[in-house]
Amino acid sequence: MATDTSKYKFNHSMLRVKDPKESVKYYELLGFKLINKIENPDAKFDLYFLAYDSPSAASHAAHWTDRQGVIELTHNYGTENDPNYKIANGNSDPRGFGHLCISVDNIQAACKRIEDAGYKFQKKLTDGRMRHIAFALDPDSYWVEIIGQKPLEQTENITTTDLSTYRMNHTMIRIKDPEKSKEFYEKVMGMSLKRVSENAAAKFTLYFYGYGPPAPEQSANGVSSTADREGLLELTWNYGTENDPDFKYHDGNAEPQGFGHIAVAVDDLDAACQRFEDLKVNWKKRLTDGRMKNVAFVLDPDGYWVEIIQNEKLKNRSNW
């Protein structure tokens, strides 16, 4: 029994939502397609899996477990009718999860299309100093970063945008100690560092991790070398947090809830979990715990949950 981390995929990121109809509508506006729904009426929750699935999408027509860049929306029954129910988006206290990010062919046209549909922005292209990124707000006020696959000057006079070119580029979480987090995602999860963005003046550094081939040192089209990728994990380190013994990020699963977990699909679930056991990881849930015997959860150094699932293309296990 063996497992090969080179076959792993950063499959999905889970967000709790108040009203699934409104959330699915929003992400479909961004070009996502509902590729799977798992209903759990006994436990009173449903899961909605969305991904880019056009013929030119990176994972077109693949099984939902054999993809990267999937979004899982979790709906607990009744929240849509509770006027006091509110999601914690991770960017106001308590902080932890930061945002999802999509990359688009024409950032100006993409942002205009979202604004014309009536949705709000945390940051428009014209706000602040960073004119090459925007942050749209979904119905629960989660931040969705929008980046361009081409330089601004190449698209400023183009008024159309092609949803089939979009990518679910990355998921951002804040980390306390970069050395501990880097060791975990490299040695335990088998990811590799694709890009580093240092911002010394603002006292933060971004580390982009993922599976697959290395990114080129610089992009051929003059933007981020990873802008055309899916399935990246952005770790944001604000300088000094590692030296504060009392500092802690919110994992999204303690109250107030919002972001739930990231998920990695593996080649052999039993072998992968045995490897994690041998590496003495901190478990949230082993395969043998509870009723669900087809998922496990590992804790990263900040206490974020990393779900481990079987890639059903490589080995059939669950009737998802």
Side-chain angles (χ1 to χ4, degrees):
M1 184 170 67
T3 183
D4 180 357
T5 59
S6 71
K7 296 179 180 178
Y8 290 11
K9 293 188 175 184
F10 177 14
N11 179 247
H12 70 257
S13 301
M14 186 275 261
L15 304 176
R16 295 176 178 87
V17 299
K18 179 184 175 92
D19 188 331
K21 290 182 180 178
E22 291 300 318
S23 295
V24 169
K25 176 184 173 183
Y26 176 83
Y27 286 103
E28 287 181 341
L29 176 78
L30 300 187
F32 287 88
K33 177 183 177 182
L34 183 64
I35 60 168
N36 193 34
K37 180 182 179 183
I38 299 177
E39 298 181 354
N40 296 275
D42 293 344
K44 297 184 178 179
F45 72 90
D46 292 338
L47 310 177
Y48 299 78
F49 294 88
L50 297 105
Y52 287 113
D53 198 45
S54 72
S56 59
S59 302
H60 172 62
H63 189 274
W64 74 269
T65 62
D66 188 42
R67 294 172 179 255
Q68 302 201 104
V70 178
I71 300 173
E72 175 190 344
L73 304 180
T74 294
H75 171 234
N76 294 293
Y77 296 179
T79 55
E80 69 277 21
N81 300 318
D82 182 353
N84 298 316
Y85 183 81
K86 192 174 186 301
I87 292 290
N89 72 5
N91 291 301
S92 56
D93 289 332
R95 298 198 308 164
F97 167 76
H99 59 258
L100 304 176
C101 175
I102 63 170
S103 67
V104 301
D105 60 337
N106 180 347
I107 192 169
Q108 295 98 328
C111 288
K112 183 178 187 303
R113 182 173 173 274
I114 296 168
E115 188 172 8
D116 288 349
Y119 293 103
K120 297 179 180 179
F121 279 73
Q122 178 67 28
K123 178 201 175 299
K124 296 182 180 179
L125 284 175
T126 52
D127 296 339
R129 291 180 301 170
M130 300 180 71
R131 299 299 175 94
H132 62 289
I133 61 172
F135 286 89
L137 295 175
D138 90 345
D140 290 292
S141 293
Y142 289 117
W143 295 14
V144 180
E145 183 180 13
I146 304 163
I147 62 174
Q149 297 167 0
K150 301 174 184 176
L152 284 172
E153 58 272 16
Q154 289 186 16
T155 56
E156 60 185 350
N157 295 319
I158 302 173
T159 59
T160 58
T161 181
D162 181 357
L163 300 181
S164 71
T165 67
Y166 288 18
R167 297 285 185 265
M168 170 47 202
N169 183 251
H170 70 256
T171 297
M172 187 275 264
I173 55 176
R174 298 175 177 89
I175 59 169
K176 174 176 178 172
D177 188 325
E179 296 310 312
K180 290 181 179 179
S181 294
K182 288 161 66 178
E183 181 178 27
F184 173 83
Y185 284 103
E186 290 174 12
K187 294 185 178 179
V188 177
M189 300 312 304
M191 293 183 178
S192 59
L193 185 62
K194 306 303 183 186
R195 184 167 71 90
V196 178
S197 177
E198 296 185 13
N199 299 270
K203 297 184 179 180
F204 71 88
T205 296
L206 312 177
Y207 302 91
F208 292 86
Y209 275 91
Y211 297 105
E217 291 187 10
Q218 61 184 28
S219 173
N221 58 10
V223 295
S224 163
S225 60
T226 56
D228 62 346
R229 292 285 185 99
E230 282 195 330
L232 295 178
L233 178 66
E234 176 187 347
L235 305 179
T236 294
W237 169 49
N238 293 294
Y239 298 176
T241 54
E242 74 280 12
N243 298 319
D244 182 349
D246 298 320
F247 187 87
K248 189 176 188 301
Y249 281 118
H250 182 63
D251 66 6
N253 293 300
E255 295 292 343
Q257 293 186 318
F259 164 78
H261 60 260
I262 60 172
V264 172
V266 300
D267 56 344
D268 186 306
L269 186 58
D270 293 294
C273 286
Q274 183 59 56
R275 176 178 171 274
F276 294 140
E277 187 74 41
D278 294 342
L279 290 171
K280 295 180 169 55
V281 301
N282 291 320
W283 292 97
K284 180 64 184 179
K285 178 200 174 299
R286 289 180 168 86
L287 277 178
T288 52
D289 296 339
R291 291 183 304 167
M292 297 182 68
K293 307 297 185 183
N294 52 2
V295 298
F297 286 89
V298 173
L299 296 176
D300 90 344
D302 287 284
Y304 294 114
W305 298 14
V306 182
E307 184 180 22
I308 313 299
I309 62 173
Q310 175 66 50
N311 183 328
E312 297 290 325
K313 178 186 176 182
L314 301 180
K315 184 177 182 181
N316 186 262
R317 181 188 180 99
S318 307
N319 185 25
W320 292 111

